[in-house]
Amino acid sequence: MKTDIDLFEEKLLYVYNNYYMKVIANPTDNNKDRFPVELGGVLIGLWLHNNRNKIKELAIEGNKTAKAVLNNNKDKREMLFNDDKRVLYLIKYFVHFKTFPSIYNVFGDGTLMNEFLNNNKEWIYVNRESDDKLNLLVMLIEQIDPYYFEEVEEKINKTSNPTDDSKDRFSDALGGEKIENGIYRDKTLLDFVNKGDKKTIEVTNDFIKQKNNDEFIDEKLIYIYENYYKKDKLNPTVYDADSFPKELGGSFIGHWIYNNEEKIEELRKKGNEFAQYIFLNSKQNYDRIECVSELVIYILNNGQIPTDDDLFISESSMGMFLKDYREWIYFNKDGIDVLELLVFLIEQIDPDYFEDLKKKSAKVKSLGNIKE
């Protein structure tokens, strides 16, 4: 006969397996989700609410299942559900379960995983080379089903890009120029055009407009220095939506940096210290991200955190990199998906790996609230 302690632990494990591991927030106390009959059939959210102190005690004692369940509340899980986040959720799902989601698997906002995957199959495959997350997702899917994207690949091969003799043009919303001219002038435009949504058109228009825009260049350099370099944050890329404030034009920062690379380099050579900082930040963080991508692939392939003896392609130590940049990885994870994925993978192996940094972050937030 099961004791109360056994039943409690089984319920805790059920919540862990069916919510935390599936990247779904715990049910709230007014949610209708129930435990199966063999576990009593009671409302899960209400059970969690009534036992929150006991779960917290177990978490403090070091129970990893309790700790995961405790940190799986809606306010800690909730985030903007855009395509990037859904892709990240799918990556986590495939890493865990190594199978395709069923009709019962949903994202935290209730969207069906398999529906999103099927509806966006072409977008995922076409854009994989320009987005590390999509490339990783394609790789994980093809490990399960090597032919999943076969139809998309055949469709792409049948439709070649317009040549310089073609009269094909972008739509008026995308500038109306000949497509071949756009491809020749700047191939990254295609990365945005392929997706075809309103945000893409907005981004692309902004990208085109900034080609000849040098307005506020000194002020913009200082803004990037103050808000990224000094805060040890990555410079935004053309895939990020970070914008300058309205008084500096409100344009996308990553696009502005990309469009003004030559100008920034010219100013750097002339001794402009802010241009120098931005140049260094771009290169330094680019190199770090390359290493992080290698770490993600290593952990996916080996199922363990690398040691000092495991080496990058550059032959530097993976273990030493993790030690040196552990804080940088953790505190930048919310803004950079590949860092968020690395933190997620590491915590699946060692849930306490970033525990001291979590406490440090919580303390800083607490002090911030007191000051306010």
Side-chain angles (χ1 to χ4, degrees), residues 76-280:
K76 294 183 180 180
R77 278 283 193 196
E78 208 163 54
M79 60 181 68
L80 175 64
F81 276 90
N82 54 26
D83 288 350
D84 281 347
K85 290 300 180 185
R86 290 192 177 99
V87 167
L88 192 61
Y89 267 40
L90 281 170
I91 288 171
K92 293 177 180 179
Y93 181 90
F94 281 115
V95 168
H96 272 306
F97 299 104
K98 295 180 175 57
T99 186
F100 283 91
S102 73
I103 58 172
Y104 303 107
N105 297 123
V106 296
F107 297 108
D109 64 342
T111 308
L112 291 171
M113 287 186 177
N114 61 358
E115 186 176 290
F116 172 82
L117 190 60
N118 292 331
N119 290 344
N120 292 278
K121 182 189 290 190
E122 186 170 337
W123 169 68
I124 291 167
Y125 191 77
V126 167
N127 289 282
R128 71 195 186 286
E129 293 181 2
S130 60
D131 189 314
D132 288 339
K133 298 185 300 303
L134 295 180
N135 194 39
L136 182 55
L137 179 58
V138 169
M139 182 188 76
L140 291 169
I141 289 173
E142 289 186 330
Q143 285 178 353
I144 300 167
D145 180 1
Y147 304 106
Y148 185 78
F149 295 103
E150 189 174 44
E151 288 181 17
V152 178
E153 190 171 8
E154 288 175 0
K155 181 179 177 181
I156 292 169
N157 290 336
K158 287 178 183 177
T159 308
S160 57
N161 290 332
T163 65
D164 53 3
D165 296 325
S166 171
K167 294 180 181 179
D168 292 355
R169 292 180 175 274
F170 288 111
S171 66
D172 290 340
L174 297 178
E177 69 175 326
K178 287 180 66 175
I179 294 178
E180 172 60 19
N181 292 346
I183 295 171
Y184 179 79
R185 189 194 73 250
D186 201 327
K187 291 183 179 180
T188 58
L189 277 175
L190 286 181
D191 299 333
F192 301 114
V193 173
N194 280 328
K195 194 171 177 184
D197 57 15
K198 291 180 181 179
K199 186 67 175 176
T200 299
I201 294 170
E202 182 185 348
V203 169
T204 309
N205 283 339
D206 183 79
F207 191 90
I208 294 169
K209 282 191 297 183
Q210 290 184 55
K211 276 294 180 180
N212 299 310
N213 183 11
D214 282 339
E215 191 179 11
F216 303 123
I217 189 163
D218 291 329
E219 292 89 343
K220 287 179 176 177
L221 289 174
I222 294 170
Y223 181 88
I224 298 168
Y225 166 76
E226 293 287 343
N227 289 278
Y228 294 90
Y229 179 84
K230 281 188 73 175
K231 294 180 180 180
D232 196 25
K233 291 172 63 179
L234 283 172
N235 288 341
T237 70
V238 292
Y239 302 106
D240 297 313
D242 295 23
S243 300
F244 288 110
K246 288 183 178 178
E247 59 268 25
L248 294 182
S251 56
F252 293 105
I253 298 171
H255 297 170
W256 184 85
I257 293 173
Y258 182 88
N259 294 333
N260 289 277
E261 278 182 345
E262 292 181 8
K263 184 68 176 177
I264 293 170
E265 176 64 8
E266 181 184 326
L267 290 171
R268 183 180 78 85
K269 289 179 177 177
K270 289 180 179 178
N272 183 303
E273 60 177 326
F274 298 111
Q276 173 72 3
Y277 290 131
I278 290 167
F279 169 81
L280 290 174

